[in-house]
Amino acid sequence: MGVEMAKAKERESYRSKLKAMGLRHTLPREQILAYLDSKNTHPTPEELYLGLKKKGYNIGLSTVYLNLQVLREAGLLWEFKDQKGNTRYDGFSERHHHLFCLQCGSIEDVLDKDLPAFDTAPIKQAIEAKKGWFVEEARLEIRGICTECQ
C-alpha cells in the first residue's frame, strides 16, 4: 500500500509539472521525467530509450526524441553536449553545474549551493554589451580528472 501511494504521489507531481508548463500529461512524458529524476545520469536519447525499454516500458525511439524536445522547450529538462559532442539530457531541477572527466567521460553534478558565490550577472551584462546577445542563462562547466581516473 505504501509503495502504491508513493507512486500515485509521484505521478501527480509529474502531472502538476506538465500542467504548470501548459503541457498535456502523457505516459511517455511521465516515464521520461521519472527516469531522469531517479537516475543521477545524463543520458543521450538512445541511452534513455534503452533504459526505459529495460524497465519494461513500451516506447519508441522517435517518441523519446519528440518528448525530449517538448520537455526541453518547456524548461523541464536541460540539454547539453558532452566533451565528445553527444547531446545529453538532465532532469535534475535544482540549480547545478557539471563536472566532466577528461579521461573516462563521466559527468557529475555539483550543486550551485555547494560552490562559492558564482554571480553570472556581470558575465551576462558584458556579453550583452559587447556582442549584442540576450543571454538567458550562464552555467559553469568544469573539466578535470575524476577520482576513479586519478
Side-chain angles (χ1 to χ4, degrees):
M1 178 86 171
V3 172
E4 286 304 313
M5 288 275 284
K7 284 188 184 263
K9 276 189 172 188
E10 186 176 278
R11 195 171 300 119
E12 191 54 43
S13 167
Y14 296 126
R15 284 175 202 239
S16 297
K17 281 183 182 180
L18 291 165
K19 187 176 181 181
M21 300 312 289
L23 298 175
R24 189 170 52 90
H25 172 269
T26 65
L27 193 54
R29 289 176 187 168
E30 180 182 319
Q31 291 167 342
I32 289 169
L33 289 172
Y35 185 89
L36 291 171
D37 247 2
S38 67
K39 303 281 184 191
N40 186 18
T41 63
H42 305 89
T44 65
E46 293 81 8
E47 291 167 348
L48 177 60
Y49 165 74
L50 292 173
L52 292 170
K53 293 297 271 186
K54 191 174 181 180
K55 286 176 108 15
Y57 296 137
N58 184 21
I59 191 168
L61 183 57
S62 61
T63 301
V64 169
Y65 271 101
L66 174 70
N67 282 285
L68 284 172
Q69 181 180 349
V70 168
L71 294 168
R72 179 188 53 79
E73 287 174 358
L76 294 171
L77 300 178
W78 184 47
E79 176 186 279
F80 66 96
K81 301 275 187 198
D82 65 17
Q83 60 267 35
K84 294 179 183 169
N86 299 312
T87 300
R88 296 191 169 272
Y89 290 87
D90 189 343
F92 188 39
S93 57
E94 190 170 346
R95 178 96 171 125
H96 67 283
H97 307 280
H98 291 127
L99 302 170
F100 292 92
C101 179
L102 295 170
Q103 289 191 356
C104 71
S106 68
I107 303 166
E108 198 173 313
D109 294 334
V110 60
L111 298 178
D112 208 36
K113 67 182 183 185
D114 293 339
L115 296 174
F118 179 65
D119 184 9
T120 61
I123 295 168
K124 290 168 62 173
Q125 290 167 355
I127 290 171
E128 288 175 349
K130 291 184 176 151
K131 298 291 184 180
W133 282 51
F134 167 75
V135 178
E136 188 171 309
E137 179 180 33
R139 289 189 180 243
L140 182 62
E141 191 174 283
I142 307 161
R143 297 174 182 270
I145 309 297
C146 73
T147 55
E148 296 295 316
C149 293
Q150 291 179 28

